[in-house]
Amino acid sequence: MEEHGEGCCGGRQEEHGDLEHEELLESMSEKLGFTPHILEILGELDSESLKKYNRCNNKLLSDGALPAKTKILVALAVVAAKQCERCTVVQMQSALKNGATKEEIMELMDVIFITSGAPAVAACRDALKLLKSKS
């Protein structure tokens, strides 16, 4: 078992370490702009897992050597390559909230196609509908 509050990303429990899972969900939802249903379920089942997820998510949603937007676009490409349709929707929502443009996303679709093929692009069908509604 992990010691001293370290999570999957090797970080220590920080700002949300002592929040109840409802407060943590609210905080995460504000950052994401929506609440993924899986986080609600995870919080109900095991608040410690939700805290670990939050620490990892904070790494993704904050600027570092790479801007958050770039990391989110990478995450979108990865989940598309894994053909996780629901995951692509969640990452697309996050990308749009973090300033990704239509041009950046369409260029990313080219990268996804080149590296992972048509099935990976097809996994983005519902995610691309979100982009279409933004136009």
Side-chain angles (χ1 to χ4, degrees):
M1 202 67 195
E2 297 170 357
E3 295 179 18
H4 308 295
E6 292 185 18
C8 65
C9 294
R12 314 253 312 127
Q13 274 186 256
E14 293 174 6
E15 64 184 272
H16 298 296
D18 297 315
L19 292 178
E20 292 296 323
H21 82 266
E22 294 88 6
E23 294 170 318
L24 184 54
L25 271 175
E26 185 177 320
S27 174
M28 293 170 76
S29 297
E30 286 175 18
K31 288 180 183 175
L32 292 169
F34 61 97
T35 305
H37 186 62
I38 187 64
L39 296 182
E40 293 172 343
I41 295 169
L42 192 59
E44 291 170 8
L45 293 174
D46 181 13
S47 62
E48 278 304 310
S49 291
L50 185 63
K51 290 175 187 176
K52 292 172 192 173
Y53 181 91
N54 182 55
R55 286 190 296 279
C56 295
N57 203 41
N58 282 339
K59 288 261 189 198
L60 183 65
L61 294 175
S62 59
D63 292 335
L66 292 173
K69 180 176 73 170
T70 300
K71 293 188 277 188
I72 293 163
L73 289 171
V74 169
L76 175 57
V78 169
V79 297
K82 293 184 170 287
Q83 299 176 25
C84 177
E85 292 182 34
R86 182 66 194 132
C87 300
T88 63
V89 170
V90 170
Q91 291 303 329
M92 180 69 79
Q93 289 172 312
S94 186
L96 292 171
K97 181 171 185 339
N98 283 277
T101 65
K102 177 181 179 181
E103 293 77 18
E104 290 169 328
I105 291 168
M106 294 314 298
E107 193 166 323
L108 181 66
M109 288 298 117
D110 290 342
V111 172
I112 292 168
F113 181 75
I114 292 165
T115 59
S116 302
V121 174
C124 296
R125 179 188 62 233
D126 290 336
L128 288 169
K129 289 177 185 175
L130 296 173
L131 181 61
K132 187 177 173 182
S133 69
K134 284 281 216 189
S135 300

